[in-house]
Amino acid sequence: MRRTSLLALVFAFFAAPMACRTSNEASSAKDADDPWAKQAWMNKAAKALLYGSAGLSPSEANQLMPLSKDEIVEKFMSDPRFYETALDFNLFFLGLKQEKLRYSPDSDYKSEVFSERTAAAAAMELARNGDYFVLFNWKMPYALVGAPGTPNTPEGQTTFTSDEQKREHWLAKAKESLDAWIAEIESSNDVNALCARYLKTNDEEDDFEDYIDNYGLPDELRTAFSKGVKNQIMCGVIGGQVSQSASIKQDLLAEAKSYRAGLATIPALFDGLTKKIKSPADLNVIAPATVPTLKDEAFEAFSTQMWVSLSNSSTNYNRKRGAYVLKTFFCDDLTPLNIAAPVQHSENKHASEPACQACHYKLDPMAGFFRDRGIVGINFASLPFHLHDDQLKREGTDLTKYLASWKAPQGSTRTWDVGYVRSSKKESLNSYGESLNDLFKTIRDAPESKTCLTKRLAEYMLGIGQVYDGRWVDYLAKEFKDAAKPTAAPGDSSKAFKKVVKSLVLSRTFSTPDPVKGKCYDFAPDSEPSGLPCEVAYIVEKNCTSCHSGEGAPKGLDLSSWKTLANGASGFVHIDETSGQQLGRSASLTRIACGLSPTEQCGPVKLMPFNKEMDAVERATLYKWVQNELSGGGQ
Amino acid sequence: MKLKSIAFFWVSMSSLLVASCKQRSDDSELQSAGRRVGSFKGLAAVETTIKGRIMLPNSYFDLAQYLGDSSEDGLPSLLGAYDGRPGSSSLQNATPNAVNTMLWQIVMDGAASAIATKACSGGNELETHFKQAAKKICDWPTGADDRAQTLREFWLDLMRYDAPQAEMEAWVGQMTASGGSVATLQGQALVKDLTQSILMNPFFLLEQ
């Protein structure tokens, strides 16, 4: 085996043209000395880039040995499995990672993969060099559909010999059932009876939904013919009381007629579907206009499962949903820090406590984007009441009071105090809006979401818990930030994704077998390690050292200098103003923590950086690092 | 008897547990000493890895079955699993502890037994190269193959390049040493022992 590897290496040396030698030439020279190192890297790269790969066998590895690392990454990224890796990452990014994408190697993707529309759509766009940033969309311009199934054989029916015959049978039955239902609605004024029939038919006897189930449509199209959640609510499926809304009959009729018209489109639709989905590139894209029942479908990013999981109780005022957005798209885990927050949101004692404001100043305005979304995410904006997931119904003054939680103060130029809040003091830094479309436009435009995307991609490729130099992450994130500029072409985001992935796989962190979690291996071009702890060096340099540097730094704290102190521990140069002596490590770090989050125990301390804004995630990262150092984690 | 093999196995087991008990700085010491520290890869990932390396496509292979009837009581999730709840993309129960390490031992004992049975009976579900390497070992002490080389091939089929070369050579040395598994076991029992020692190796079971 080793002889084969050596032969491959000799071949590589003579056969590889000079033009192929890339920036990783230095590491290639090292690989020539240590073929195992390159085989190990290739094995790891295969597992990272090719979804479901178990790594490379010796013969597979030997075949690739003549190629440069750059060429190997390109080769892997042109494999259809790479787009499944992207799909898996997208689900990871959205906090929805699944154990497996498919039920079995030969089956279609799991329904959970489709239900979170943006993850699948972004992977498909990537495979087609389209707009990867649909990952940040609230509404999708199309429906994504998997492979169709085979039709069921009608019970007792033995004369059908082809799938076509079976499908024709089920379509005819569905039409018959819907015609009867439409006639029933038109001839009755008993709303209670109609609702009872609407809600019960599925349990007691076959109806059009069952017939469509038997047809073999993919799940995503089948659900377009399922009973509408809104009509089920109006008919009282929750709470058992039929609403007094006069429009119920008309709503039921409109829905039934829409389905009836939609049935006519099914055969052509079915024939146009890709029957075998081998990768996200093969997904079926359906324009909503081609299916009458899809016309009114919102195609929103959140699935029903998502809405159920991020439930809105009558007391949490959508904060669970707001926290999800902050954590997922901005990497803000809402570390509680004591920073001044003068604005009070939401009628809720907890939120108005000064200590709690530390999170709520940004959480409540974020939650406000979801104010109209009640139980399972239903939009109650046009309805005279609001139903929470805990089934508390608000109407009249109660509803007005609930919505007033997010009303902007009098004299404000905006109607709602709803937005992505970066600063509690400087409103001009914040991105305000009203609707979920506004929120997701902010996410698409905000640089913070691109940095977050890069961090998550690094976690996915290099391992959770690995620390990175912040300047390097910023350097990589620039690819995404540039691709989000108004002048960028839609395909630029796909190029950026591939470029960042490639940089990560070619990084020193990736190439190092079992990298030490607390050590940074990669740095931005033209930048050297500063000597400060690498996890926070960039944050400190960006926010602190313009003042806290060198002799005579304010409060004796020189944050540009990390040294071994007298007792052998490491710490910043920090001279106590009273004694003129270097502070002990613990005392120094405690004072730094107080500057970042001045609690009552700190006494009269100013929030740092003084009179300057600091990114909330950077502040939290630095604060958590200080706390970890204080608890002995870094020593 | 097979004392060296058992010792090798317990070194692997104890390094999994040490990884879970020590602080971050201690982890760094272990890592710089060439040991892998970290979390389990999770049941689904390990199952996919084994299937992808030594089984033919579409063969049936289910690691959870080796937990017996308990596999239906949620026990497999203790071996590291994603819970699928929105907002949570982290592997649950993946930090090594006494309980999940014992469960992995039970699972891998069953898996190694099944693999050895298939290997020594010429099972059709096994990937050709692995089947050939395993078959040579099943036939020992007959056969004129280079034993150390056959063991390396067997290791690479299962481990690929997940572990350093030094780890492979140490394993070959342990197994072929006087009083080691190769000297004390034969046929199916030997293949099971070799397989289990690889499957329980931290470089196989733990995330990098």
Side-chain angles (χ1 to χ4, degrees):
Chain A
M1 179 211 66
R2 294 180 76 188
R3 201 169 295 152
T4 321
S5 304
L6 275 171
L7 278 173
L9 270 172
V10 171
F11 173 77
F13 184 79
F14 288 108
M18 290 304 287
C20 292
R21 302 207 170 186
T22 62
S23 58
N24 52 46
E25 205 165 355
S27 64
S28 297
K30 185 174 167 286
D31 296 333
D33 297 335
D34 183 5
W36 187 281
K38 186 168 180 185
Q39 285 160 331
W41 174 85
M42 290 190 296
N43 182 59
K44 192 173 166 185
K47 289 193 291 178
L49 297 174
L50 307 175
Y51 185 80
S53 168
L56 299 178
S57 68
S59 62
E60 290 167 330
N62 285 336
Q63 277 175 19
L64 292 173
M65 278 302 268
L67 302 180
S68 71
K69 285 186 174 180
D70 205 84
E71 288 167 325
I72 291 167
V73 174
E74 289 289 341
K75 186 177 171 63
F76 287 163
M77 284 171 63
S78 63
D79 188 299
R81 287 175 290 174
F82 171 66
Y83 300 107
E84 296 198 327
T85 296
L87 174 54
D88 188 55
F89 165 71
N90 294 345
L91 290 165
F92 169 80
F93 176 73
L94 295 172
L96 300 159
K97 183 158 164 60
Q98 305 289 316
E99 291 281 12
K100 290 174 182 172
L101 295 177
R102 298 176 189 270
Y103 298 108
S104 69
D106 287 335
S107 76
D108 198 5
Y109 291 119
K110 291 166 71 179
S111 56
E112 289 89 340
V113 171
F114 284 102
S115 59
E116 311 309 332
R117 298 180 169 111
T118 53
M124 184 201 71
E125 293 280 350
L126 186 74
R128 298 176 182 182
N129 291 317
D131 181 12
Y132 175 73
F133 285 161
V134 294
L135 187 67
F136 299 135
N137 270 29
W138 176 242
K139 287 192 177 181
M140 301 302 299
Y142 47 71
L144 272 186
V145 176
T150 49
N152 290 329
T153 305
E155 206 173 327
Q157 183 59 263
T158 53
T159 55
F160 292 154
T161 52
S162 69
D163 285 350
E164 284 72 20
Q165 280 178 307
K166 293 174 194 171
R167 282 196 284 269
E168 276 172 23
H169 168 84
W170 293 122
L171 197 59
K173 295 287 283 181
K175 284 176 182 168
E176 196 180 299
S177 168
L178 267 173
D179 285 342
W181 172 229
I182 289 168
E184 191 177 334
I185 301 171
E186 285 175 332
S187 64
S188 170
N189 285 318
D190 184 348
V191 174
N192 286 306
L194 286 175
C195 276
R197 167 109 167 83
Y198 182 73
L199 297 175
K200 281 182 182 172
T201 45
N202 206 23
D203 300 330
E204 294 183 348
E205 55 189 278
D206 284 347
D207 69 356
F208 73 95
E209 280 190 319
D210 298 299
Y211 300 136
I212 289 172
D213 273 354
N214 289 327
Y215 187 91
L217 277 183
D219 281 353
E220 305 73 39
L221 280 179
R222 193 166 49 81
T223 51
F225 292 90
S226 299
K227 291 188 178 83
V229 175
K230 188 176 161 188
N231 277 347
Q232 291 189 56
I233 296 262
M234 296 304 285
C235 268
V237 70
I238 293 162
Q241 291 292 312
V242 174
S243 164
Q244 294 307 304
S245 167
S247 67
I248 286 180
K249 178 176 165 168
Q250 293 312 315
D251 289 342
L252 291 176
L253 193 59
E255 184 184 275
K257 285 187 171 176
S258 158
Y259 292 152
R260 183 66 179 82
L263 291 182
T265 64
I266 285 182
L269 204 62
F270 187 92
D271 290 342
L273 295 174
T274 301
K275 304 294 188 289
K276 176 78 183 163
I277 310 288
K278 290 178 189 156
S279 98
D282 304 328
L283 289 169
N284 292 296
V285 175
I286 305 289
T290 58
V291 189
T293 45
L294 292 178
K295 266 184 186 164
D296 301 324
E297 173 78 37
F299 290 108
E300 292 170 343
F302 284 10
S303 65
T304 304
Q305 185 209 1
M306 194 82 161
W307 286 115
V308 169
S309 180
L310 301 172
S311 57
N312 177 32
S313 76
S314 52
T315 53
N316 83 13
Y317 279 62
N318 293 297
R319 288 185 187 112
K320 204 171 187 177
R321 296 165 180 173
Y324 167 81
V325 170
L326 284 167
K327 183 183 173 193
T328 303
F329 296 102
F330 298 102
C331 290
D332 187 344
D333 61 3
L334 293 167
T335 303
L337 297 172
N338 259 45
I339 53 173
V343 187
Q344 181 182 324
H345 294 277
S346 298
E347 291 251 340
N348 180 301
K349 188 169 183 301
H350 169 73
S352 60
E353 292 286 342
C356 307
Q357 276 280 359
C359 293
H360 286 279
Y361 82 95
K362 53 186 170 183
L363 178 56
D364 292 354
M366 182 59 74
F369 281 114
F370 296 91
R371 64 192 179 281
D372 293 325
R373 299 308 181 106
I375 189 165
V376 292
I378 291 170
N379 190 349
F380 285 88
S382 60
L383 296 170
F385 62 93
H386 186 100
L387 192 62
H388 290 277
D389 279 286
D390 56 6
Q391 299 196 30
L392 183 124
K393 191 175 177 181
R394 291 184 194 275
E395 47 196 337
T397 52
D398 189 26
L399 179 59
T400 309
K401 200 174 160 190
Y402 163 77
L403 292 171
S405 301
W406 293 285
K407 282 275 186 191
Q410 278 196 331
S412 171
T413 53
R414 54 182 188 273
T415 312
W416 300 99
D417 240 353
V418 165
Y420 172 47
V421 172
R422 295 180 176 91
S423 168
S424 59
K425 297 174 197 159
K426 218 171 174 180
E427 285 198 352
S428 61
L429 295 176
N430 303 334
S431 301
Y432 293 100
E434 297 195 351
S435 65
L436 286 164
N437 271 331
D438 293 340
L439 168 61
F440 279 77
K441 186 179 180 316
T442 295
I443 293 171
R444 192 182 251 263
D445 295 342
E448 291 91 342
S449 64
K450 313 304 170 308
T451 306
C452 184
L453 181 67
T454 311
K455 282 181 185 169
R456 295 283 184 249
L457 204 42
E459 276 182 12
Y460 183 84
M461 289 288 166
L462 307 178
I464 291 170
Q466 180 67 45
V467 301
Y468 318 105
D469 173 62
R471 197 184 301 275
W472 182 58
V473 172
D474 249 19
Y475 165 74
L476 295 176
K478 190 172 179 301
E479 297 290 342
F480 285 130
K481 289 174 188 171
D482 288 346
K485 286 179 180 168
T487 50
D492 287 356
S493 52
S494 284
K495 285 181 198 157
F497 181 89
K498 289 172 187 171
K499 211 166 167 183
V500 174
V501 167
K502 191 172 178 180
S503 297
L504 290 169
V505 176
L506 292 174
S507 70
R508 287 195 186 96
T509 316
F510 190 91
S511 301
T512 304
D514 291 297
V516 176
K517 297 280 186 199
K519 186 177 168 184
C520 300
Y521 293 86
D522 293 277
F523 298 90
D526 306 322
S527 86
E528 290 298 320
S530 64
L532 300 179
C534 74
E535 191 176 349
V536 292
Y538 183 51
I539 299 174
V540 170
E541 285 163 11
K542 199 170 148 188
N543 296 283
C544 315
T545 53
S546 62
C547 297
H548 285 277
S549 179
E551 278 185 38
K555 301 287 180 190
L557 175 60
D558 178 4
L559 287 166
S560 66
S561 187
W562 179 260
K563 288 186 171 172
T564 304
L565 305 176
N567 61 359
S570 301
F572 290 107
V573 171
H574 199 167
I575 309 298
D576 181 67
E577 287 179 305
T578 315
S579 67
Q581 301 294 311
Q582 166 72 39
L583 280 171
R585 173 187 160 82
S586 177
S588 168
L589 289 169
T590 304
R591 288 191 191 181
I592 293 169
C594 281
L596 291 166
S597 175
T599 58
E600 276 181 24
Q601 290 80 6
C602 294
V605 180
K606 289 194 177 83
L607 179 72
M608 291 290 132
F610 186 55
N611 275 344
K612 272 172 69 181
E613 291 294 331
M614 182 176 183
D615 176 85
V617 175
E618 290 183 350
R619 181 184 294 278
T621 304
L622 185 54
Y623 181 78
K624 281 191 281 191
W625 174 82
V626 170
Q627 293 298 339
N628 187 45
E629 290 290 312
L630 274 170
S631 66
Q635 285 291 297
Chain B
M1 228 184 54
K2 49 171 184 172
L3 278 178
K4 287 201 175 178
S5 167
I6 291 169
F8 192 86
F9 167 71
W10 281 108
V11 166
S12 299
M13 288 277 281
S14 57
S15 64
L16 292 180
L17 287 172
V18 164
S20 69
C21 300
K22 293 210 164 199
Q23 295 293 319
R24 196 179 68 177
S25 54
D26 301 320
D27 286 353
S28 301
E29 285 167 27
L30 275 171
Q31 278 185 282
S32 48
R35 303 306 308 166
R36 174 160 294 179
V37 297
S39 302
F40 286 118
K41 289 175 182 170
L43 185 67
V46 170
E47 187 177 288
T48 304
T49 301
I50 297 174
K51 273 177 85 166
R53 289 180 182 178
I54 63 166
M55 311 287 289
L56 290 175
N58 298 322
S59 302
Y60 175 76
F61 186 70
D62 173 24
L63 277 179
Q65 66 175 304
Y66 302 114
L67 288 170
D69 294 341
S70 315
S71 64
E72 287 164 17
D73 301 332
L75 216 50
S77 67
L78 293 180
L79 296 168
Y82 291 96
D83 64 8
R85 276 183 300 127
S88 155
S89 269
S90 58
L91 199 59
Q92 307 293 313
N93 302 319
T95 304
N97 58 44
V99 173
N100 58 15
T101 304
M102 185 188 70
L103 291 176
W104 270 116
Q105 148 68 7
I106 293 168
V107 166
M108 292 312 202
D109 182 72
S113 257
I115 291 167
T117 306
K118 286 183 207 300
C120 292
S121 62
N124 294 328
E125 295 149 303
L126 295 175
E127 188 274 330
T128 314
H129 192 273
F130 176 76
K131 197 159 75 175
Q132 285 168 353
K135 183 70 175 61
K136 286 181 196 168
I137 298 170
C138 295
D139 292 344
W140 287 350
T142 58
D145 55 309
D146 174 345
R147 298 209 168 156
Q149 185 56 24
T150 301
L151 284 174
R152 283 188 195 100
E153 286 178 24
F154 186 84
W155 168 278
L156 279 171
D157 281 334
L158 262 172
M159 183 68 90
R160 301 282 164 97
Y161 299 94
D162 287 352
Q165 194 170 12
E167 184 79 2
M168 177 178 76
E169 295 302 339
W171 178 81
V172 172
Q174 282 274 11
M175 296 302 151
T176 53
S178 155
S181 296
V182 172
T184 55
L185 297 170
Q186 282 183 15
Q188 209 167 296
L190 175 58
V191 174
K192 185 213 163 190
D193 189 71
L194 298 174
T195 305
Q196 193 173 353
S197 66
I198 296 172
L199 297 182
M200 284 304 289
N201 189 297
F203 286 100
F204 187 87
L205 266 189
L206 299 184
E207 284 282 9
Q208 176 166 310

